[in-house]
Amino acid sequence: MARPPSTTADALTGWRSMTQRPWWPWLKRSAVALFLTLVAWLILRHARLVDWHAVLHALRNLPVSVLAMAGALALASHLTYGTFDWVGRQCSRHRLGLFATLGIAMTSYPFILNLGSLIGGVGVRYRLYSRRGVDPGTIGQVVAISIVTNWLGYLVLMAVLPWLWQPPPVAGWSVTSGQWRTGGMLLGCLPLAYVWLCALRAGRAFTWRGHSLPWPRWPVALWQVAASACNWMFMGAALWTVLQGQVAYPAALATVMLGAVAGLVLRVPAGLGVLEAVGVALLTAPPLDSAEVLAALLAYRALYYFAPLLPATLALGAAELHWRQRAA
């Protein structure tokens, strides 16, 4: 009997067999390296056009009180993000206490920001949770719920933002207010659908291909949306503070949110250079010039990304030392 024409399953099988070839990992690594090299070249090319003397002058002129307030807002954001794991604790029913769970999330968050979700969100979290006796399946549930929580508030704010702020034309590209608001409303439907599904399932776990993911009840889902939205608003407020209120708050919030997505798409560690490029494009307008905007963005990065990494590293090191002493 003649062999039937190739099907989608055949195509999938062919793709899987190709990924098993000896040259596939080399090709994949080369493609990633080429892409990152291109991104780095674009960032460096843009950096050559920056008046760094003016940027440093603007950084020196930032008042200490402004930096302190922005640091306090950054800390509030990190604390809020830490509570995301409380939802995972409630859904997965692991037995760690509230403060231990908060500490793990806050320790891993700076690693997520600076080194990516694979190292911070999975690696550090897995290490800290597993050392305390939490099984891998439960850790995966906590991580998944934290990721969902983070983007629920983002989508809600993206539905509200188009009614408060209109992006300026960038590199000849612009969007009408109608398009901008329609896109925002479509994104806002996703959190509503999530809360509705949580109410429909009434706490029953969702199972797919043998993997079970617990679903919170609808009051917890509403708390997820509120906590996540507060986290993003704290981030926007920290940037708005170092900009010293010279732009509208929605513009600062939009810069943080759009910069986060751009960094995620480009897969640049910590979104290094991406947030700055987005911010300069969106916020450079009288009374701020590009040097002042870039100085504020660098101050924001130092306070929100880099400063928390030191205590997080010390906390992780202290925990490792404690476990090694107990095992000795």
Side-chain angles (χ1 to χ4, degrees), residues 22-165:
W23 47 263
W24 176 255
W26 177 87
L27 178 64
K28 186 177 178 181
R29 286 193 295 268
S30 299
V32 172
L34 180 63
F35 177 75
L36 291 178
T37 301
L38 177 61
V39 171
W41 177 76
L42 290 172
I43 291 173
L44 290 173
R45 183 175 176 227
H46 177 74
R48 292 176 60 188
L49 304 177
V50 174
D51 184 353
W52 289 106
H53 178 75
V55 171
L56 291 174
H57 179 72
L59 275 171
R60 294 192 192 100
N61 288 339
L62 284 174
V64 174
S65 59
V66 167
L67 296 176
M69 178 59 71
L73 289 166
L75 177 60
S77 172
H78 280 252
L79 280 168
T80 305
Y81 181 90
T83 66
F84 293 179
D85 277 26
W86 286 353
V87 182
R89 176 182 181 272
Q90 193 269 344
C91 292
S92 66
R93 302 186 186 280
H94 68 69
R95 297 183 179 181
L96 289 185
L98 288 174
F99 287 106
T101 303
L102 179 67
I104 290 173
M106 290 189 65
T107 300
S108 64
Y109 187 41
F111 289 97
I112 296 173
L113 291 172
N114 291 280
L115 302 177
S117 58
L118 185 61
I119 295 176
V122 178
V124 175
R125 253 200 191 107
Y126 177 84
R127 183 73 173 175
L128 293 172
Y129 273 117
S130 62
R131 285 288 198 175
R132 289 170 171 81
V134 182
D135 64 273
T138 301
I139 298 171
Q141 292 176 356
V142 172
V143 172
I145 291 170
S146 176
I147 293 172
V148 169
T149 303
N150 182 60
W151 293 106
L152 284 172
Y154 183 99
L155 294 171
V156 167
L157 291 176
M158 281 302 296
V160 176
L161 196 58
W163 300 90
L164 305 174
W165 176 79

Side-chain angles (χ1 to χ4, degrees), residues 1-26:
M1 183 179 294
R3 187 179 185 273
S6 61
T7 61
T8 302
D10 295 329
L12 289 174
T13 302
W15 170 256
R16 288 169 184 163
S17 65
M18 186 173 69
T19 59
Q20 301 301 318
R21 301 291 179 86
W23 47 263
W24 176 255
W26 177 87

